[in-house]
Amino acid sequence: MKLDRVQLTDFRNIKSADFNPSRSLSLISGKNGSGKSSIIEALYYLGYGRSFRTNKHESAIQHDAERFSIFTRCTDDSGDESAVGLQRSRHDQFTCSINGNHSHRLADLVSLIPVQLFTPQSTDLIIGSPGERRRFIDWGLFHVEHQFNLMFQTFQKLLKTRNTLLKRQANIDAPENAYWEQQFVTVGEHLNAQRKDYVSRLQPIFNAICSEFLPEFSLEISYYKGWEKDASLTDSLLRKREYDSKVGYTTSGPHKSDLRFKVDGSLAQEILSRGQLRMAVAALQLSQTKLFQQETQRKSIFLLDDVGAELDIDKRERFIDGLVAMDTQLFVTAIEREQLDFIDKYKDKKLFHVEHGHVKEE
Ligand SMILES: Nc1ncnc2c1ncn2[C@@H]1O[C@H](COP(=O)(O)OP(=O)(O)OP(=O)(O)O)[C@@H](O)[C@H]1O
């Protein structure tokens, strides 16, 4: 997917912007508070239907405006053109429009435009909560496995049902409840198998990229399924039944799965510096981009916010080289162009300057 034109209206401090990004690399520079991250946030909305900075859509609507809108003309990987729009008002639910057809289904938008993001907070992928890492794996599965979203939504519903039964102290073995338990196990084992398989496909790519990005360390990534290693989910649920009833929720299952990063047997966050952790995250994201391309023959859109704050100059260059070589459409923000002085070597690039919410091509 490539975005050919982007139009923003009443998004944060951007009253109105209309620009044609490069199909390869767009550098967006400007002073603090000029609106660079707002552009990245708006593009992220196209890929996720939400912000990465806030859960409140209202915060992204320009003060005094009723709604924001984000519109793009894009070309997919088979050369078909689409017009995609998204609006959020202070009151409505989510609505998007794809080639004139309106939809309230987030999945319609999200499956169309695959977007990845790297920001100063990206180390959370390693040091943050397991939920961050599950979302990372699930992004890959969502874009690769057609039925993944349906299965994931079904699992969430089954988990909710099981937790409700546990809270009510219901007898899980009663015939009317045993059905739900069985469904939970079937879908849960399936979800686990897909995640495990995804991580095993990602591992060799990650190892190869890490040996280039962090050659001084041997970084290993492993998958924890969310319950005891050698047990089936049925056995684990049975073993924890009494405890789960006491606490009122399910303590084992794929909703507890995680990724673990280790360097010589120790947790990566105990060994690596902050900059090295960022490189590990960059390697992880590059691996995911590569796997996504290999398995779908599609290209993703990559957003790199405030790259100067994240990585030193050769790491920045290596990361951007990797993304450009994979033909992702890349949007990079920096306070000053000099933070990316190596950028001159890229042929197909565009430079944009942002000032008080106005975007101008240089
Ligand atoms: N809802 C809103 N309406 C109008 N302006 C807003 C809104 N939300 C944030 N702003 C303002 O938008 C401006 C742009 O913020 P943004 O985070 O995009 O800046 P930036 O260029 O990325 O800055 P930095 O380099 O400091 O990260 C800020 O001055 C912020 O106060």
Side-chain angles (χ1 to χ4, degrees):
M1 178 62 78
K2 304 282 181 195
L3 308 183
D4 299 315
R5 181 177 181 185
V6 175
Q7 288 170 287
L8 310 177
T9 309
D10 290 331
F11 193 89
R12 297 226 182 242
N13 70 332
I14 302 170
K15 181 84 205 140
S16 166
D18 186 348
F19 59 100
N20 301 322
S22 159
R23 286 190 152 209
S24 176
L25 171 62
S26 296
L27 171 64
I28 301 159
S29 63
K31 290 186 181 157
N32 288 130
S34 56
K36 304 178 295 297
S37 299
S38 302
I39 297 174
I40 295 293
E41 187 182 20
L43 298 172
Y44 185 90
Y45 256 101
L46 288 171
Y48 296 86
R50 61 178 171 82
S51 168
F52 60 89
R53 302 208 279 191
T54 174
N55 292 327
K56 293 188 202 137
H57 299 290
E58 276 191 75
S59 316
I61 301 173
Q62 183 155 99
H63 305 317
D64 306 329
E66 186 49 34
R67 56 175 51 82
F68 69 68
S69 65
I70 304 164
F71 175 81
T72 184
R73 282 197 183 283
C74 45
T75 309
D76 74 13
D77 301 272
S78 11
D80 293 333
E81 291 181 3
S82 300
V84 180
L86 152 73
Q87 275 200 349
R88 295 267 2 188
S89 83
R90 295 193 184 273
H91 315 290
D92 304 345
Q93 51 171 174
F94 166 83
T95 322
C96 68
S97 144
I98 301 167
N99 296 324
N101 299 315
H102 293 276
S103 167
H104 294 295
R105 269 172 43 93
L106 194 58
D108 290 339
L109 176 78
V110 174
S111 56
L112 201 70
I113 307 183
V115 172
Q116 290 167 281
L117 169 77
F118 188 84
T119 75
Q121 282 75 43
S122 288
T123 44
D124 282 355
L125 195 49
I126 294 181
I127 61 177
S129 71
E132 301 267 347
R133 292 179 285 282
R134 283 195 294 276
R135 274 192 289 280
F136 171 81
I137 303 174
D138 292 346
W139 183 92
L141 284 166
F142 175 82
H143 286 287
V144 169
E145 310 287 344
H146 288 304
Q147 294 301 317
F148 179 78
N149 192 41
L150 182 63
M151 180 183 59
F152 181 79
Q153 300 300 338
T154 308
F155 177 77
Q156 295 298 336
K157 281 184 198 149
L158 290 164
L159 176 63
K160 214 168 150 191
T161 306
R162 190 173 195 273
N163 288 344
T164 307
L165 292 173
L166 288 168
K167 254 187 221 108
R168 280 198 214 132
Q169 305 274 312
N171 174 10
I172 300 274
D173 290 325
E176 69 276 19
N177 298 335
Y179 168 81
W180 295 112
E181 183 82 341
Q182 187 48 50
Q183 287 299 305
F184 181 85
V185 167
T186 307
V187 181
E189 289 277 15
H190 195 188
L191 176 57
N192 169 55
Q194 289 214 336
R195 282 181 175 158
K196 190 174 165 199
D197 196 49
Y198 181 78
V199 176
S200 69
R201 300 195 310 270
L202 192 72
Q203 262 162 342
I205 306 175
F206 179 66
N207 291 345
I209 295 178
C210 267
S211 64
E212 200 194 308
F213 273 32
L214 286 165
E216 59 277 47
F217 297 101
S218 147
L219 188 62
E220 280 167 32
I221 163 177
S222 59
Y223 174 68
Y224 165 68
K225 63 181 177 176
W227 67 94
E228 305 89 315
K229 203 171 169 206
D230 301 318
S232 66
L233 183 52
T234 308
D235 289 345
S236 179
L237 291 176
L238 210 55
R239 237 177 265 164
K240 301 249 177 81
R241 176 87 59 84
E242 209 180 301
Y243 180 73
D244 286 358
S245 296
K246 211 185 312 171
V247 293
Y249 58 88
T250 309
T251 55
S252 57
H255 56 297
K256 296 283 174 191
S257 74
D258 201 358
L259 281 180
R260 286 175 184 161
F261 298 88
K262 289 197 170 166
V263 177
D264 298 327
S266 302
L267 285 175
Q269 54 267 47
E270 286 164 14
I271 304 280
L272 300 183
S273 73
R274 275 161 55 98
Q276 287 164 341
L277 279 171
R278 285 172 188 149
M279 277 314 273
V281 172
L284 196 60
Q285 292 196 313
L286 270 179
S287 322
Q288 190 168 59
T289 305
K290 199 162 187 174
L291 186 61
F292 169 78
Q293 288 192 6
Q294 275 176 10
E295 299 196 339
T296 63
Q297 275 72 54
R298 295 175 67 201
K299 304 279 161 61
S300 57
I301 287 161
F302 208 104
L303 313 173
L304 257 169
D305 195 19
D306 202 2
V307 71
E310 286 281 282
L311 302 166
D312 62 39
I313 189 84
D314 11 305
K315 303 280 193 314
R316 260 173 251 169
E317 183 169 0
R318 205 171 271 205
F319 191 21
I320 292 176
D321 275 353
L323 290 163
V324 169
M326 280 190 230
D327 193 24
T328 57
Q329 186 176 24
L330 190 53
F331 293 83
V332 184
T333 71
I335 292 176
E336 279 157 356
R337 222 194 110 174
E338 290 63 42
Q339 290 177 298
L340 296 167
D341 57 1
F342 55 88
I343 208 168
D344 289 336
K345 70 180 179 185
Y346 303 116
K347 282 196 195 84
D348 182 12
K349 60 174 180 294
K350 284 191 180 181
L351 309 178
F352 296 93
H353 187 72
V354 195
E355 209 175 326
H356 305 301
H358 297 284
V359 184
K360 237 172 60 191
E361 189 177 342
E362 291 189 331

